Amino acid sequence: MPPIAAPGDVVVDVQRAGVCGTDIELFSGEMQYLVDGVTTFPIRIGHEWMGTVVAVGDGVERRWIGRRVTGDTMLGCGVCHRCRRGQQWVCEFRGELGVRDGQPGALAEQVSVPVSSLRELPDTVDDVLGALVEPGGNALRAVQAAALQRGDRALVLGPGTIGLLVAMFARAAGAEVHLMGRSERSLSFARSLGFDGVWAEDELPEMAWDAVIDSSNAAQLPARALDLVEPGKRVVYVGLAGSPSLLDTRTLALKDVTAVGILSASPG
């Protein structure tokens, strides 16, 4: 059935939607939320999207109708202490559009979302880029967490969509950007974007890395990131492996490294 706009919600005609690694894990049954019980089948996926508002619920201004929008994936409860301090993306009771139970996603003709989650798209952002705002927000936050200075050398592990977006934001910040990956197809595509170095894991040169950003799904790479980064610098973890990743905190402490985890595009 077509969605109906509940009070505080809008209905959006979806025009573009992306397929994320999380969606693939939900499809294959490997997603950790399925193990934790916060997600159960059936579920409609899709959390990277854009579209046009076509209906509004009670309490929503009609000015939203006809607006091109995208929206936040993380839908906090709005009343807990984390939401009240503006961190709804880590709300214990949050919904996640197309990811957690009770929030059908945007891989459909229409999707219903809270108006509070909307972001209006300017005309300069086309439909495809509009659907890339959500993964772009994750990538932007990862680069901000790396605290790069102009001229720093950054290494991005995993040249998938998030990794390439991370690399582009890091390059825009003035860093010398290298990527490391496994698939020759992804490495070739990354080279076509003109980065300073694109390497297979066994070809990575010995360099001083001012920041290492792990955007991969490989369980062994978080520890490798810590080994590679310069003492006193930063590692950022935005990728998620399908099995536990182990870090030696002695290395973290003895190298005086700052490690940052990134969940969600919300603040970005």
Side-chain angles (χ1 to χ4, degrees):
M1 292 179 60
I4 297 173
D9 289 357
V10 304
V11 173
V12 176
D13 276 351
V14 179
Q15 289 159 272
R16 292 287 188 277
V19 177
C20 173
T22 298
D23 297 321
I24 302 299
E25 290 182 355
L26 286 168
F27 181 77
S28 67
E30 298 172 298
M31 172 61 171
Q32 185 62 37
Y33 282 3
L34 293 166
V35 178
D36 296 340
V38 297
T39 299
T40 57
F41 293 130
I43 183 171
R44 190 176 78 209
I45 58 178
H47 60 273
E48 304 171 357
W49 60 275
M50 67 75 56
T52 301
V53 177
V54 294
V56 298
D58 290 345
V60 180
E61 296 179 15
R62 291 189 60 81
R63 69 175 182 83
W64 281 103
I65 294 178
R67 301 292 177 97
R68 296 172 63 251
V69 296
T70 186
D72 197 346
T73 299
M74 303 299 197
L75 309 175
C77 72
V79 296
C80 72
H81 70 283
R82 295 174 190 169
C83 286
R84 291 198 307 271
R85 71 187 183 209
Q87 292 182 301
Q88 89 286 349
W89 68 95
V90 288
C91 168
E92 181 182 357
F93 312 106
R94 70 184 180 273
E96 295 184 30
L97 189 77
V99 179
R100 289 197 180 204
D101 284 354
Q103 302 291 340
L107 276 177
E109 290 85 358
Q110 293 184 319
V111 66
S112 179
V113 296
V115 68
S116 59
S117 72
L118 293 185
R119 299 292 182 273
E120 187 171 356
L121 295 173
D123 292 339
T124 50
V125 176
D126 67 24
D127 291 357
V128 172
L129 291 178
L132 280 166
V133 167
E134 197 278 340
N138 277 282
L140 175 64
R141 290 192 66 213
V143 173
Q144 290 172 336
L148 291 166
Q149 303 294 315
R150 184 167 293 276
D152 280 354
R153 183 182 292 124
L155 176 64
V156 180
L157 307 181
T161 301
I162 296 293
L164 292 173
L165 288 167
V166 164
M168 286 189 276
F169 276 120
R171 182 168 60 187
E176 175 189 328
V177 181
H178 298 248
L179 296 104
M180 187 187 87
R182 291 181 298 181
S183 161
E184 183 51 42
R185 180 183 176 191
S186 62
L187 293 173
S188 177
F189 183 62
R191 290 188 186 101
S192 76
L193 298 176
F195 291 106
D196 296 288
V198 179
W199 313 96
E201 190 167 358
D202 58 355
E203 298 173 342
L204 185 70
E206 289 194 18
M207 292 184 175
W209 306 108
D210 297 299
V212 180
I213 302 174
D214 178 22
S215 60
S216 76
N217 61 0
Q220 77 279 7
L221 286 186
R224 181 85 190 277
L226 181 56
D227 289 339
L228 288 168
V229 74
E230 278 287 283
K233 297 294 187 174
R234 290 185 170 227
V235 290
V236 180
Y237 298 109
V238 66
L240 292 173
S243 57
S245 304
L246 302 180
L247 291 178
D248 189 338
T249 56
R250 295 171 298 181
T251 304
L252 187 74
L254 292 170
K255 291 183 72 172
D256 199 26
V257 165
T258 299
V260 184
I262 297 296
L263 171 71
S264 160
S266 295

